[in-house]
Amino acid sequence: MVWNKEAECMEREEKEKLQLKLLKETLKKAYENVPFYKKRFDEVGIKVEDIQSLKDIEKLPFTTKTDLREAYPFGMFAVPEEEIIEIHTSSGTTGKPTVSGYTKKDLEIWSEVSARAITMALGTKNDKIQNCYGYGLFTGGLGIHYGTHKVGATIVPISAGNTKRQIEVMKDFQSTILTCTPSYALYLAEVLEKEGLSPEEISLKSGIFGAEMWTEEMRDELEKRLGIVALNIYGLTEIIGPGVAQECPAKTGLHISDDHFYPEIIDIKTHQALGEGEKGELVLTTLTRDGMPIIRFRTKDITALRKDKCECGRTLVRMDRITGRSDDMLKIRGVIVFPSQIERALLKIEGLSPNYQIIVSRPKYLDELEVRVEASTELFSDEMKKMEEIENKIANTINKEIGLRVNVTLAEPETLPRSEGKAVRVLDLRKFD
């Protein structure tokens, strides 16, 4: 099923004409109404009329999270403040938050792309969507909320936390679609099992999981333990929120609503554009955003783009599952490591929980990498020799994946921290040395 067939199945040539038209309109609005963009365009000597093809977008300067922070709070708005009817922000954990302002038109766009995402995840007006994303300044909860209303489904706006209550509501209300972070979905699966509930005793059919990186191995774990189709959603506050891209059941990448968001892939070091299928940093430009147009935003997310038609019939460009963030890369003794590589290795081993922590330290002059991972009750043993054998097996599996020897510590079941939002997987202690 497709929510908006005209937009989602548009022929590529027609789509590119539309994208160029919308891009020119967006650039004009940004230049005339956002001082930051007028100054930046003038500095590089680019005029809106210089953009005559989609390829010409490469002439435009990038926008970074630092730029948005420096414009805090309302310096990026392209409309008078009285036209902004909703405000969201990023977490601001590493500095001032980035602010995102929405006009009435923007909320309609957000509802539309979220409705597409819900439909890709098998959602219809007959479904009950248990929305465990946080409500508030974080965009996750309300983005799904608006999309659910657009589809005509029933929203259960439970937000994050209170896990036993989540299970009770899931069972009593017969929720059919679950939305949350994959790490929280895993925790819900654990609690369900403790309560003695099997997947057959709940009504879930699919899950919309995002807001953190996760692997195919984690998908397999969630599908098995919850009895669902587990699908990936992507979004970011700076662009609009969840709904920028969504996986369909074909699982061949996330469909970007590219009639609203124009994607590029650039080389992380040279910043040059990369071709289809080449892995690099995702850059996004809003094409229809009214209150806050964003030009060539560097997302820091590492992925690749695919333009072939999906078996679902959609022609929207697809992005591969994100394998890491350029600012989350760990450089250990000269080797680049992404946390997702370690997760992939751990989930290849029977009897390990997908709950783990990566600790990076520098006790003397060399970086040390420790992986703490929970063993299942069956695997965990008091016998020292057996534990050492298991830890060596895990270390060897990780070594094959990342090319580095690591220290492995097996933890007892349910001893590592659980998360009701984004999981904190990496503790980098080197900055405190």
Side-chain angles (χ1 to χ4, degrees), residues 142-173:
L142 280 167
I144 296 291
H145 193 102
Y146 295 145
T148 303
H149 282 180
K150 185 92 171 172
V151 168
T154 301
I155 189 79
V156 182
I158 195 166
S159 197
N162 200 348
T163 302
K164 287 204 169 182
R165 176 67 174 150
Q166 297 271 7
I167 301 299
E168 183 182 303
V169 165
M170 189 184 295
K171 189 170 182 290
D172 293 348
F173 292 8

Side-chain angles (χ1 to χ4, degrees), residues 22-48:
L22 293 172
L23 176 62
K24 288 179 178 179
E25 291 172 1
T26 294
L27 295 177
K28 185 173 186 293
K29 179 162 195 166
Y31 184 81
E32 292 176 355
N33 296 283
V34 183
F36 166 80
Y37 282 120
K38 184 179 191 308
K39 181 172 181 283
R40 187 62 65 85
F41 287 14
D42 288 347
E43 282 174 349
V44 298
I46 191 82
K47 293 182 171 57
V48 175

